[in-house]
Amino acid sequence: MSASFPVLRLFRGKQRPKGGTARPAPPSFSVKHALALSVLLGAALLAQLLGALLANTALFVAGSSVGLLLDLYLVHRQPRLVAALGRLRFDVTARQLLRDALIVVGLVRLPGIDPLEEQPLALALLAGYFLHFCCQAVALLIRRRRTLPFVTRNIDASALRLSSAPPRLLARQPSRRLLYFALPATAGLMASALTAEALWGLLGVGVTLALHLGGILRLAAWLRPGAQPANEQQALEWLDRWLAEYRPTVAMYFSGGAASAYQANMWLSTLSALEARPLIVLRERFMVQKIDATDVPIVCIPKVAHLMRLEHSSLKMMLHPANSGKTSQVLRIPSIKHAFINHGESDKLSSCNPYAKAYDEVWVAGRAARDRYRLADIGVDDRDVVEVGRPQLAPIRHYAGPPAADGPVTVLYAPTWEGWTDDPGNTSVILAGENIVRALLADPKVRLLYKPHPMTGSVDPRAARANERIQQMIAEANARRSGPRPGPEAAAELARRTAALDELTTTAFRPSADEMERMLLQSTPGGDREAAVAAATAAWEEAYWASFPEWEHLVITGPRPALYTCFNRSDLLISDVSSVVSDWLASEKPYAVANTSGLAEEEFRAGLPTVRAATILTPDAAGVPALLDSVRDPSRDTMARARAELKVHLLGPADPPSIVRFDRAVAALCAKADRRRELMALRTDDAPAPRVAAEAAEAAEAAEAVQEQPDHSDPENSLTT
């Protein structure tokens, strides 16, 4: 059907938005609803036209009024339909211009109004459009001047002459401004049509002109010489001075879509705990507000030319939690060393991407990831792989024994998403999810925590439908259960803790606030905000779990509670081949992995190290009852020792702690950056002696690297003197 009616494709929007970000449609939007509103809008314009041509005052007034009111509704509640009509070259300005043109025709056709009085009305309407476009030109000029070449957070940038933004209606909403300001003119002209008195039309149009003129004068206040922010060159010079004063040594570089911010957020606590002076470098302006609460300075530099200024800063190295198309741009800076730290490790092919060889070093959790790169043979030198553990896993509590005999077994089902390929083994939601949940719900002593990946269903509609059915199954199971529930004081405590946490982690902005105003409000944080956020988060989590009865199944789809908090509340994990499994092993609790790949269990275990200590579930979930029995009775748990060994293999030793190893790796890579800069400085000198010194230093560094390289040769074949 959509092939025959291209307008429907405009209404549906793109199925795969750019950047891999899933943008679900508003709940109120549907194709049928959009078509109905489009038909109603066309009917209003047709009624206005017929009323004007037939000199039917009632029809003319009704069509004009309904059309304007319907447009006001569309810009407020149906932005996707407004965008679709705009792509058809029938935007708000075109529709309002058509309505006003029909009003002029109607006034000419309707009896009672002197033609000499109609001319000033038409000229006044044209003057209104002239002032509208003048207002828009001023707004664009202000927006351009208020757009700095970078965006900051947690940095005092008041020297850039930051100021509050102009009203949003005047500066950023030309469609709404045109419709709002047209209301008095349309009302006055309709009154003139009904009473045959041109005075009402002149009054209405006069108010509209006054509104446009007042908007221009209001915006002009932001064009005063004293209200001008720093220009591009001044702003970049200020950034250079700030970098020289702050002297950052380590930066986390991140670029991606809105839904990928979690990849950077998981490293915030590690970054802030480093002994070095950290910095967060972003590339997309919207990402500045996607980063969670942190005291680490943040700077977003969208343009490559401006990004290259980091070459002359004190930065020694960059940490990369994800690959992106823009990563190659920053890798061109020769004075900075780069380490790929990833946002999680699993046996998926994405965990040994060939792009990794572009970095100076690849930091992994343990031996398993090192072996993964070696076996993949993608060009990553084993000497460039550094085992640092997973510092984020410190909050995960260790296995403390089976659940109480009279208590429920809490099972966390946390499947991953379908990914960008058609591999059926990516997610269990489609083929096995409903069977797994059905088997768990059949046990009356099981409490299920269902936490799907936030991008589930963003690529494959089957995953979205299966996810909806699973949530419906859980809701129906809860309806069949009963038991004591927490009192109203628990909900009140949760609300209080939520408000306290939101106050610390979010910044309240006016609807009119733009980037510059947010930079002004999000300057240097006061006090130890991260410690306060950690305490408030812990208090919120306690209140959250206390607000639900222990027998109630939960569907957890938001960022709170966090995944590791769910780990600590669970006795068993069921998941897919993903980094969730590797992180869960820090607890050494039992876990199961759904095998929807089509491989035999032996082949599945042999090819995927992270599942070697897991119970393997087939798509029919037939092994769930036996799995639950092994959780309740540790004597039936045959994988305990394997989990302990696999934990060390995947995550590295417990001593020294991961954060210590991570900090040492940072110091070592910074030292390599210092040596590289020294060599580069010597090479730029034309004198022979420095060149010789540079060559000697380079040779010494190469010899040192050879000495540090582990000897994998056969001792029987070694040469001796």
Side-chain angles (χ1 to χ4, degrees):
M1 181 177 179
S2 60
S4 304
F5 298 94
V7 174
L8 292 184
R9 293 199 296 271
L10 295 174
F11 292 155
R12 295 182 192 274
K14 297 182 180 180
Q15 297 299 317
R16 296 187 182 183
K18 292 181 179 180
T21 302
R23 299 178 182 177
S28 60
F29 183 87
S30 68
V31 174
K32 291 182 179 179
H33 192 197
L35 287 175
L37 291 172
S38 301
V39 171
L40 184 59
L41 184 62
L45 290 171
L46 181 60
Q48 188 180 6
L49 174 62
L50 292 177
L53 295 179
L54 301 176
N56 187 316
T57 303
L59 187 61
F60 172 73
V61 171
S64 303
S65 303
V66 170
L68 179 58
L69 294 176
L70 184 59
D71 245 330
L72 285 168
Y73 169 79
L74 293 181
V75 297
H76 275 282
R77 303 299 300 273
Q78 297 293 331
R80 289 186 61 182
L81 177 55
V82 171
L85 293 174
R87 289 194 289 270
L88 293 174
R89 302 295 187 268
F90 196 46
D91 58 10
V92 172
T93 303
R95 296 195 296 273
Q96 183 60 28
L97 185 60
L98 177 58
R99 270 193 300 271
D100 287 340
L102 292 177
I103 287 175
V104 173
V105 174
L107 293 177
V108 173
R109 299 282 300 173
L110 294 176
I113 301 180
D114 189 343
L116 294 178
E117 296 177 338
E118 295 169 355
Q119 295 178 1
L121 288 175
L123 292 176
L125 280 175
L126 291 176
Y129 280 95
F130 173 76
L131 292 178
H132 165 71
F133 290 117
C134 287
C135 186
Q136 182 62 10
V138 175
L140 290 174
L141 178 61
I142 292 173
R143 286 169 55 185
R144 183 174 181 179
R145 291 189 177 183
R146 290 181 61 83
T147 303
L148 296 173
F150 53 83
V151 185
T152 64
R153 190 176 131 191
N154 299 335
I155 298 174
D156 183 5
S158 56
L160 298 175
R161 301 188 295 276
L162 307 179
S163 62
S164 299
R168 191 180 183 189
L169 181 66
L170 300 178
R172 294 182 174 273
Q173 295 180 327
S175 298
R176 294 191 183 189
R177 183 178 70 237
L178 177 62
L179 294 176
Y180 287 157
F181 289 4
L183 276 172
T186 302
L189 292 172
M190 293 304 99
S192 294
L194 291 171
T195 63
E197 292 288 342
L199 177 62
W200 297 110
L202 290 173
L203 289 175
V205 175
V207 173
T208 293
L209 292 176
L211 290 173
H212 283 298
L213 185 59
I216 294 174
L217 295 176
R218 181 75 177 92
L219 289 175
W222 276 266
L223 295 177
R224 292 181 292 105
Q228 295 299 303
N231 59 36
E232 180 177 289
Q233 184 59 34
Q234 293 171 338
L236 292 173
E237 291 174 355
W238 173 88
L239 180 61
D240 291 339
R241 291 194 299 271
W242 180 84
L243 288 170
E245 180 181 350
Y246 178 64
R247 297 195 61 77
T249 53
V250 179
M252 181 176 70
Y253 177 92
F254 188 72
S255 172
S260 64
Y262 73 94
Q263 300 171 354
N265 287 330
M266 68 170 56
W267 286 101
L268 293 180
S269 60
T270 303
L271 191 65
S272 62
L274 295 177
E275 295 182 4
R277 299 180 69 84
L279 176 68
I280 298 175
V281 178
L282 307 176
R283 301 301 307 282
E284 291 80 21
R285 293 176 180 269
F286 67 83
M287 190 61 71
V288 174
Q289 301 305 322
K290 296 292 183 180
I291 300 298
D292 287 344
T294 179
D295 292 343
V296 178
I298 301 173
V299 59
C300 173
I301 309 177
K303 290 187 178 180
V304 181
H306 301 156
L307 184 71
M308 293 298 109
R309 302 175 81 93
L310 295 178
E311 179 178 356
H312 306 291
S313 71
S314 59
L315 275 176
K316 298 180 181 181
M317 61 168 293
M318 281 188 170
L319 304 170
H320 298 262
N323 296 313
S324 72
K326 296 180 181 179
T327 302
S328 61
Q329 298 169 351
V330 75
L331 292 178
R332 291 186 290 176
I333 300 179
S335 60
I336 298 177
K337 290 282 188 177
H338 300 269
F340 181 59
I341 56 177
N342 213 335
H343 54 275
E345 294 181 6
S346 70
D347 292 323
K348 292 181 180 178
L349 294 177
S350 58
S351 290
C352 52
N353 193 311
Y355 196 98
K357 62 187 175 184
Y359 302 95
D360 294 290
E361 292 183 354
V362 178
W363 294 4
V364 298
R367 182 72 192 183
R370 178 187 293 275
D371 293 342
R372 188 182 302 119
Y373 276 105
R374 178 177 54 82
L375 294 174
D377 192 22
I378 56 174
V380 175
D381 194 319
D382 186 69
R383 293 171 296 181
D384 296 330
V385 179
V386 181
E387 298 176 27
V388 296
R390 288 274 286 167
Q392 306 96 321
L393 306 185
I396 298 177
R397 293 198 291 264
H398 194 266
Y399 178 62
D406 57 346
V409 176
T410 302
V411 181
L412 173 63
Y413 178 37
T416 189
W417 68 303
E418 57 270 28
W420 298 114
T421 67
D422 295 329
D423 184 355
N426 284 342
T427 178
S428 60
V429 170
I430 299 175
L431 298 179
E434 293 172 79
N435 293 332
I436 292 173
V437 170
R438 187 177 295 108
L440 292 171
L441 297 179
D443 191 319
K445 291 188 177 182
V446 164
R447 185 193 193 190
L448 173 61
L449 307 181
Y450 176 54
K451 189 173 177 62
H453 192 283
M455 293 184 68
T456 298
S458 60
V459 171
D460 193 335
R462 295 178 302 166
R465 291 192 293 269
N467 180 40
E468 292 175 358
R469 290 193 297 269
I470 289 173
Q471 295 190 32
Q472 182 62 32
M473 291 168 60
I474 295 173
E476 294 173 355
N478 280 331
R480 293 190 297 267
R481 285 190 167 190
S482 62
R485 303 189 66 89
E489 65 278 0
E493 176 67 6
L494 178 60
R496 188 173 70 86
R497 295 297 184 181
T498 301
L501 182 56
D502 288 343
E503 186 177 356
L504 288 171
T505 57
T506 60
T507 302
F509 300 116
R510 300 181 306 128
S512 297
D514 59 2
E515 285 180 352
M516 183 175 290
E517 182 172 337
R518 289 192 284 267
M519 286 175 59
L520 181 63
L521 295 174
Q522 294 178 306
S523 59
T524 306
D528 192 352
R529 186 175 59 179
E530 291 189 0
V533 169
T537 300
W540 180 90
E541 290 171 350
E542 289 297 325
Y544 174 84
W545 297 110
S547 65
F548 295 99
E550 292 186 356
W551 51 262
E552 186 174 29
H553 308 297
L554 297 181
V555 175
I556 304 171
T557 56
R560 300 178 191 165
L563 179 63
Y564 296 164
T565 305
C566 297
F567 281 6
N568 292 335
R569 292 280 173 169
S570 303
D571 304 301
L572 169 68
L573 169 72
I574 299 178
S575 187
D576 303 325
V577 178
S578 71
S579 60
V580 172
V581 170
S582 301
D583 292 351
W584 171 268
L585 275 165
S587 70
E588 297 188 27
K589 297 177 185 177
Y591 72 104
V593 175
N595 178 12
T596 56
S597 64
L599 300 175
E601 180 175 334
E602 295 76 13
E603 188 177 0
F604 189 65
R605 287 186 185 276
L608 304 170
T610 57
V611 308
R612 291 176 185 173
T615 297
I616 307 302
L617 296 179
T618 54
D620 61 5
V624 167
L627 172 63
L628 294 173
D629 290 340
S630 68
V631 174
R632 294 186 176 103
D633 184 0
S635 64
R636 300 185 181 184
D637 182 7
T638 60
M639 293 291 184
R641 182 176 179 179
R643 289 195 300 272
E645 295 173 351
L646 184 58
K647 171 186 174 181
V648 176
H649 185 58
L650 291 177
L651 305 176
D655 188 38
S658 179
I659 187 62
V660 174
R661 286 182 282 152
F662 195 92
D663 216 0
R664 289 175 181 173
V666 168
L669 193 56
C670 285
K672 291 182 179 180
D674 288 336
R675 289 198 294 271
R676 175 193 277 180
R677 291 191 180 193
E678 292 172 1
L679 291 173
M680 291 173 63
L682 291 172
R683 287 173 182 150
T684 56
D685 196 329
D686 293 331
R691 286 203 304 271
V692 173
E695 293 173 357
E698 189 173 21
E701 183 179 5
E704 180 182 353
V706 171
Q707 292 175 359
E708 293 177 351
Q709 182 179 0
D711 184 11
H712 299 293
S713 61
D714 186 353
E716 296 294 332
N717 297 328
S718 61
L719 297 177
T720 59
T721 57

